[in-house]
Amino acid sequence: MKLRIWILILMTATGMAAADSAQPAKVMMEAARKKEVVDGDLKGAIRLYGDIAAKYKNDRPVAAMALVRMAEAYQKMGDAEARKIFERVVKEYGDQKEAVSMARARLSGRMAAQKTGIVTRQVWTHSPSPSARTMSVSPDGRYIAFPHKSGNLGLHDLTTGEDRLLTTTGNWGNEPEYAGASVFSPDGRQVVYYWERDAKGAEPRIELRVVGLGEHESPRVIFSSEEAWVVPGAWSPDGKWIAASVTRKDKSSQIGLVSAADGTLRVLKSVDWRGPSNMAFSPDGAYLAYDLAPNQDSVQHDIFVLALDGSREIPVVHAANDVVIGWSRDEKHLLFSSDRSGRMGLWALAFSGGKTHGSPIPISAEFGQPIGLTRSGAVYYSRRAPFTDVYLAEVDFITGKVLQPPARPIEQSVGFNYMVDLSPDGKQLAYAFLQTEGGLPRLGIRSMATGETRLLTVKWSKFYSTAPPRWAPDGNSLLTYAIDSKGRAGVFRIDAKTGNLEQITSDGTIRTWPMWASDGKSFFWRSPDTTVRHDLASGQETAFFPGTCRSISPDGRYLACTSRDGRLVAVPLAGGEPKELAHITPEARFLPFSAWTADSAAVVYGIVRAKESATAELWVAPVAGGEPHVVNLNLAATAGGLHVFPDGKRVIYNDSAGSGSGVGGVFVIENLLSALTANKQ
Amino acid sequence: MLILVAAAITIPLGLDLYLPAPEDNPLTAEKIELGRRLFFDRRLSRDGSTSCSTCHDPERAFSDDRAVAVGVFGRKGRRNSPALINRGYGRLFFWDGRVSTLEDQVLKPIEDPNEMDLPLAEAAARVSLTPTEISHALASFVRSILSGDSPYDRFVNGVRTALSADQQAGLQIFRGKANCTACHVGPNFTDERLHNTGIAWCDGKLTDTGAGQGNFKTPTLREVALTAPYMHDGSLATLEEVIEYYDRGGNRNPQLDPELRPLHLTAGEKRQLLDFLHSLKAKRN
């Protein structure tokens, strides 16, 4: 036996030596990143990055990136050496664009150490989906679990930058299955996640599943019920319980614990229709923190801590929209995000012995949607990049010339204004906007005459899909498909003065993109393939057109629609054959709008020529016949919601081109304790 | 460490494990027992004729079969005695929600001239306790009155045969067409909020303003089959009448809750809804 052991040791040592001599730069970089990110050994990582820079000094891309990483590690330690190295990269490696760009960004202060000593840096450029709260970070800070675009649960390795899938059956086909929110086990070896299956003709089935991080591990279902939808929020430090947000069939919410062993659900506390957005166990497992709307009328969340011995619930943080993140590494502070300063920032509140102490402490003014905390106390969050804005331009639809170039009429929430709609008289603009990261969309009503904007507080849980609220013919209300604060989905009328919601349909049918008919007695909505007319008085529905209809002509005679075979048509509302106005090639697609000129003589539409194209063209097609012609207004391929004013010249629309500045992705804030310590001094 | 410890009582299936209690009045078996004895103690009324249980009969889910409460000397109150089921989870007390803690609530009927009509100091002297001790004990006892583990609870927790086919259909109507869950929501079937259902509207005016503008608190529907008559004034004698009332959208009045509208339920749907309401009865040992 002894001989065999010695042989093994000898072979292993020999193998290691051989590998070392042939170690490619990539492997060495991964080892250094692991030492930095996973082990938290910054000095060791600096040594390794230094070795790489020296060993590969002639391989300039590798050397430059190693230096950048080394500087970042210094920066985490608060060492001034970081600046020197970044400056060296800029000076000596001008040909290495990525490394220089990163170094410049850090030198410019975007990711520089802040006065408090904390460090914020971007770890992943992945621009999160709107539901970024579905991501989670592993306790060692190495992985981020996220809903992959395939529907599967993805795992991003922050040390290698590579993604892999933890599930295989996710899909967006006829009967989609997909992953949602996830949480890592305290040992970092497993992930519990939300899994939804939408079989045809059946109610969606929500399951809580667990999968190991190893290769080819099979997920197991730990909770599945026809009566409760469960979303994981936190995993207890002893590994036995998963705190979850439970939604019942009456749409009410609960906070529950699911046994990691047998899936038993224990309901801790019932709340109203809106559950917590985040949850966190205290390090000793004695408390569970969560955020909730304190009452039905509130659109904000407050933070509460429940003693898990059942003795009490402690209101902890209020007075703003507050979202719990977890406990600091010193176990003495509760970390949370809050918009109390006017923007979403990171805050801490001393909490010990079941009580809060003092006032909330600002940690970082830059924050987004929380992803989670690591064992070392680093806080991960995601931030959405500016994605779209509202533009106003003036064009001559006859000559196709631009009379006034596009300009942003709305100065607030730049890059986050969307779903624009113009009232029929052209006097009011309705648009949605995201005021704070992770907050619910707000609705703004802007007077085009004065520029004054009223913000409506609409008690909805969420907009549905991308359907913009559309003005009623009288300009007093808007129509949308939404989910209200009691969890009920349907078509709603929004009072344009008060924001009050009136439910118009409640039979469970998803009627997206509702749009009033001119007489206000019926509305059109869109199923995936068909535009349907819904009569308000009778509730009767009739298929109107086998395609997508988006706007009614000002004279009320036609509805502009696009067909699946690439035709733009004007469909007479009084009945009769549709008039074909234009058609596009199979490679092209229409932009999601079709507007009418003020005199109802032509339809204004957009075309994206090829699937991968980033730009679009604006065209005008006369209804009375004749060839369509182009309008020289530059649009991005993501433009939409274009409307023509009654003056026949001005147009308003959504476009992503040049919408604001800012970086989206996943970020980490480190060295929090220094900020908390500094605050005490 | 993660098992909630409500040491003094067992939480039945379907109810929250966290049963709120003030920090200065934690639940103990001793206080519950003392509260139970006080609950049935007629010495807490002026003429020794009335105890809490006079109007909150345990056999009727701690409610009363009379339309309005009748107190000492046969004095009539204004409102129906509500069931005391699961009030430990409550946030508002009395039909008009004028009190926000059980500790405050339990003392009010003792002093109310139409109920027990006894000054607290005298009540305390009669039972050799302080008013605070009476309050804490009675509140603890009321907190211990729990109803769960009904066929409905077993159904939603996976026993899909616990409700009959008609009851399941009634549950669908309850959650959908009848819009009951707009107010009767959660495990206790109440949103603990105030609504104008039109019951107090008569001949163009409010007979009782309740919490203002004819608003009254949503009662629990647990054990509802045992708690007739219904509504804050006991004006509807049966559950059938209640269903008919809501089916026609309540009594229209300027402050009628917008959740109320004619439901157009069929006779079969009304019967199924009734069947479901009968499933909200706890298993009896």
Side-chain angles (χ1 to χ4, degrees), chain A residues 255-551:
Chain A
I255 294 165
L257 297 178
V258 177
S259 164
D262 63 14
T264 307
L265 169 65
R266 293 167 186 250
V267 174
L268 299 180
K269 178 183 167 72
S270 296
V271 292
D272 64 10
W273 292 270
R274 292 164 299 167
S277 54
N278 263 1
M279 287 181 259
F281 285 98
S282 62
D284 61 1
Y287 299 97
L288 180 68
Y290 43 81
D291 55 80
L292 289 171
N295 58 62
Q296 191 184 322
D297 297 323
S298 175
V299 293
Q300 299 188 327
H301 276 210
D302 292 346
I303 296 175
F304 303 84
V305 173
L306 181 68
L308 289 168
D309 62 1
S311 60
R312 64 203 183 283
E313 184 189 51
I314 309 145
V316 172
V317 181
H318 55 88
N321 191 31
D322 305 305
V323 177
V324 72
I325 298 171
W327 266 264
S328 59
R329 201 181 64 177
D330 66 1
E331 304 185 4
K332 293 175 182 169
H333 294 85
L334 190 60
L335 300 170
F336 62 99
S337 63
S338 177
D339 63 357
R340 58 191 54 221
S341 67
R343 59 191 299 188
M344 198 53 90
L346 176 62
W347 294 71
L349 181 64
F351 183 96
S352 60
K355 288 181 179 168
T356 61
H357 306 279
S359 303
I361 304 162
I363 303 293
S364 172
E366 289 290 330
F367 204 68
Q369 293 195 53
I371 293 175
L373 271 161
T374 64
R375 215 175 279 134
S376 68
V379 177
Y380 283 71
Y381 68 94
S382 67
R383 199 168 59 209
R384 191 171 176 164
F387 61 101
T388 189
D389 218 314
V390 176
Y391 289 87
L392 180 67
E394 199 170 310
V395 298
D396 183 331
F397 284 112
I398 296 171
T399 64
K401 287 182 180 171
V402 175
L403 305 175
Q404 285 288 338
R408 281 194 295 259
I410 301 163
E411 291 162 358
Q412 291 79 32
S413 305
V414 172
F416 296 96
N417 298 306
Y418 60 117
M419 291 189 187
V420 63
D421 194 50
L422 186 67
S423 64
D425 62 6
K427 292 179 179 173
Q428 298 182 92
L429 193 67
Y431 64 100
F433 63 98
L434 295 173
Q435 196 167 31
T436 57
E437 186 76 36
L440 283 173
R442 303 285 307 271
L443 195 62
I445 307 290
R446 182 185 175 87
S447 163
M448 292 308 298
T450 65
E452 183 193 352
T453 298
R454 288 183 294 111
L455 303 186
L456 291 186
T457 299
V458 184
K459 288 175 186 168
W460 51 41
S461 293
K462 56 184 170 187
F463 275 123
Y464 210 86
S465 182
T466 54
R470 300 291 298 268
W471 283 101
D474 63 6
N476 291 324
S477 64
L478 296 123
L479 197 68
T480 193
Y481 187 84
I483 297 174
D484 73 3
S485 59
K486 290 187 177 180
R488 294 173 298 199
V491 175
F492 288 85
R493 189 198 318 257
I494 305 168
D495 188 306
K497 287 192 171 62
T498 64
N500 288 341
L501 289 174
E502 180 194 348
Q503 191 162 15
I504 291 175
T505 68
S506 57
D507 59 3
T509 303
I510 298 174
R511 294 182 176 87
T512 55
W513 296 80
M515 171 182 67
W516 285 115
S518 302
D519 60 5
K521 292 179 181 172
S522 62
F523 67 86
F524 297 92
W525 60 276
R526 284 156 34 190
S527 71
D529 300 323
T530 307
T531 296
V532 178
R533 187 172 198 156
H534 179 101
D535 182 78
L536 278 187
S538 66
Q540 194 176 356
E541 300 205 317
T542 48
F544 180 78
F545 180 76
T548 301
C549 300
R550 291 194 167 95
S551 66

Side-chain angles (χ1 to χ4, degrees), chain A residues 227 241 250 267 270 486 488, chain B residues 2 16-17 175 182 186 259:
Chain A
E227 289 287 331
W241 299 96
D250 62 6
V267 174
S270 296
K486 290 187 177 180
R488 294 173 298 199
Chain B
L2 284 170
D16 294 357
L17 288 177
R175 289 168 171 169
E259 297 288 359

Side-chain angles (χ1 to χ4, degrees), chain A residues 29-107:
Chain A
M29 281 291 276
E30 283 176 8
R33 287 287 281 167
K34 178 180 175 297
K35 197 164 273 297
E36 178 192 344
V37 178
V38 179
D39 304 340
D41 179 359
L42 295 175
K43 288 182 179 172
I46 286 168
R47 264 197 311 277
L48 289 178
Y49 288 129
D51 290 347
I52 297 166
K55 186 171 181 177
Y56 294 95
K57 61 184 176 193
N58 295 327
D59 187 340
R60 292 178 63 78
V62 171
M65 193 54 73
L67 287 172
V68 168
R69 297 296 187 205
M70 183 162 69
E72 285 178 344
Y74 272 120
Q75 196 179 43
K76 283 190 203 175
M77 294 166 58
D79 195 315
E81 188 68 19
R83 172 166 286 274
K84 291 180 192 168
I85 300 171
F86 284 136
E87 286 171 347
R88 181 184 157 197
V89 172
V90 172
K91 190 176 172 186
E92 297 179 11
Y93 291 86
D95 57 323
Q96 300 304 314
K97 287 184 180 171
E98 187 182 356
V100 169
S101 163
M102 290 170 74
R104 282 207 172 112
R106 284 149 181 77
L107 285 168

Side-chain angles (χ1 to χ4, degrees), chain B residues 78-97:
Chain B
R78 285 192 305 160
R79 296 173 185 158
N80 180 250
S81 304
L84 299 185
I85 295 297
N86 300 340
R87 293 312 300 146
Y89 298 103
R91 295 195 292 268
L92 293 176
F93 301 92
F94 293 116
W95 279 105
D96 54 13

Side-chain angles (χ1 to χ4, degrees), chain A residues 226-227 236 238 241 248-250 252 254 257 266-270 273 281 285 296-297 306-313 486 488 506, chain B residues 1-5 15-19 21 23 155-157 160 171-172 175 179 181-187 191 193 195 259 261:
Chain A
E226 292 175 45
E227 289 287 331
S236 67
D238 64 5
W241 299 96
R248 294 289 180 177
K249 280 259 181 108
D250 62 6
S252 67
Q254 298 175 317
L257 297 178
R266 293 167 186 250
V267 174
L268 299 180
K269 178 183 167 72
S270 296
W273 292 270
F281 285 98
Q296 191 184 322
D297 297 323
L306 181 68
L308 289 168
D309 62 1
S311 60
R312 64 203 183 283
E313 184 189 51
K486 290 187 177 180
R488 294 173 298 199
S506 57
Chain B
M1 55 89 190
L2 284 170
I3 307 303
L4 283 155
V5 183
L15 302 186
D16 294 357
L17 288 177
Y18 171 57
L19 180 59
E23 281 195 49
F155 177 79
V156 298
N157 280 283
R160 304 305 278 182
L171 174 57
Q172 294 301 318
R175 289 168 171 169
N179 198 32
T181 52
C183 303
H184 294 286
V185 69
D191 59 358
R193 290 171 67 88
H195 302 275
E259 297 288 359
R261 57 177 187 269

